[in-house]
Amino acid sequence: MWGNVGPRVAQLTPLERVRLRRIAVRYAMHGWEVTPGACLARSRFVCGRAGCPTVGCHPALEDWEHGASTDPARVATWWRSRPHGVLLPTGRAFDVLEVPAQLGRPVLDAVRTHPAGPGVRGPVLVTPTGRWMFLVRPGDPLRPELAHCFQVVRHGPGSWVPAPPTRLPEGMVRWAVAPEQARWQLPDSYLVQNTLIEALRAAGVPLLPALPTQLPLPRRAR
C-alpha cells in the first residue's frame, strides 16, 4: 500500500528505528496497547492508505481500535520496515487528562508535593506544541467543574495519544515523568482532577460550581 505514497517519509538511522521499535515493545510488555502511527514526511503524516485526507498525526491502521496490541512480537513487526509514530489508545489501560502548558507545570509541581503521595503521581508526557498529558486510571468522567472547561480534555475510549519518542513536525514528544519514574503506576483520576481544579481557580479561570450530590469521590486502587 505504500507504493501510492507521494512525500518521502523522514529517514531515520538504523539506531533510531531500533529505538522506536524497542520502546513500542516495552509499552506493550507493560500492558499498554500500542498502534502504529502514520509516518512523518516533511510537515505532514502519511499512512500508506490511498486517498487518506488526514495530514496530521493519525493511526496508520484503518481499524486501529481493534488492531492495537499488547503482543510484543506483533508490535515489533510494525517497526521493522517503517518509522511509524508510537500511538497509545486511551480508555483501556489508562485515560489521559490533557491541559495546556500554562497549567501543566503548576499541576505537575502540585502533584509532586500532594499529601496523597503516590496515589496522585503517575506518567506525564509533553508534546512539542506544549500540551501536557497526565496518564490516570481509566473509566472516570470529568468532574462537573471541568466538563465544560475548554482547557481540559479527557481522552477515553475511542481516542489515542502520541507517545515518546514519536516525532511531530514541531519536534519530539517527551516524558516529563517517565513510566519508569512512576513505576508504571497510574494515579486516581479524581485526585488529579482535583489538582487541576485548584490550578485553574488559582489562575482565575471561572468554573461551573458542582452540586454536592455530583461530586465524585476518589476510587480505591484496583
Side-chain angles (χ1 to χ4, degrees), residues 5-11 39-42 44 46 82:
V5 175
R8 294 191 61 184
V9 300
Q11 296 299 306
C39 300
L40 182 62
R42 299 186 179 93
R44 58 169 293 185
V46 291
R82 308 296 297 184

Side-chain angles (χ1 to χ4, degrees), residues 49-134:
R49 301 198 302 270
C52 178
T54 306
V55 298
C57 185
H58 64 285
L61 302 179
E62 187 170 7
D63 191 17
W64 64 269
E65 289 190 74
H66 292 98
S69 180
T70 57
D71 178 9
R74 184 178 184 188
V75 170
T77 62
W78 286 327
W79 276 269
R80 280 188 183 140
S81 60
R82 308 296 297 184
H84 292 290
V86 182
L87 307 185
L88 302 177
T90 56
R92 301 180 182 190
F94 54 81
D95 286 350
V96 166
L97 301 175
E98 177 183 345
V99 300
Q102 63 266 29
L103 283 178
R105 175 55 65 181
V107 170
L108 180 58
D109 291 342
V111 160
R112 283 173 170 162
T113 58
H114 198 284
V120 74
R121 301 169 197 164
V124 182
L125 64 85
V126 184
T127 72
T129 56
R131 303 297 295 182
W132 287 60
M133 301 189 185
F134 293 77

Side-chain angles (χ1 to χ4, degrees), residues 12 16-24 79 83-84 86 165:
L12 302 183
E16 289 174 317
R17 188 169 293 173
V18 167
R19 180 169 178 259
L20 269 173
R21 184 171 70 245
R22 185 179 69 245
I23 293 177
W79 276 269
H84 292 290
V86 182

Side-chain angles (χ1 to χ4, degrees), residues 90-212:
T90 56
R92 301 180 182 190
F94 54 81
D95 286 350
V96 166
L97 301 175
E98 177 183 345
V99 300
Q102 63 266 29
L103 283 178
R105 175 55 65 181
V107 170
L108 180 58
D109 291 342
V111 160
R112 283 173 170 162
T113 58
H114 198 284
V120 74
R121 301 169 197 164
V124 182
L125 64 85
V126 184
T127 72
T129 56
R131 303 297 295 182
W132 287 60
M133 301 189 185
F134 293 77
L135 278 64
V136 298
R137 293 179 201 149
D140 292 321
L142 289 177
R143 283 186 49 159
E145 301 97 317
L146 300 176
H148 301 287
C149 179
F150 71 92
Q151 296 195 57
V152 180
V153 178
R154 172 186 171 243
H155 294 271
S159 187
W160 52 264
V161 294
T166 299
R167 187 179 297 277
L168 304 179
E170 300 83 4
M172 191 173 292
V173 182
R174 64 180 178 85
W175 289 110
V177 179
E180 293 83 359
Q181 292 175 279
R183 298 182 180 180
W184 295 89
Q185 299 298 306
L186 297 169
D188 183 276
S189 176
Y190 287 140
L191 286 176
V192 177
Q193 290 187 47
N194 291 344
T195 307
L196 275 172
I197 290 171
E198 294 171 4
L200 286 163
R201 286 176 174 159
V205 177
L207 298 174
L208 292 177
L211 297 176

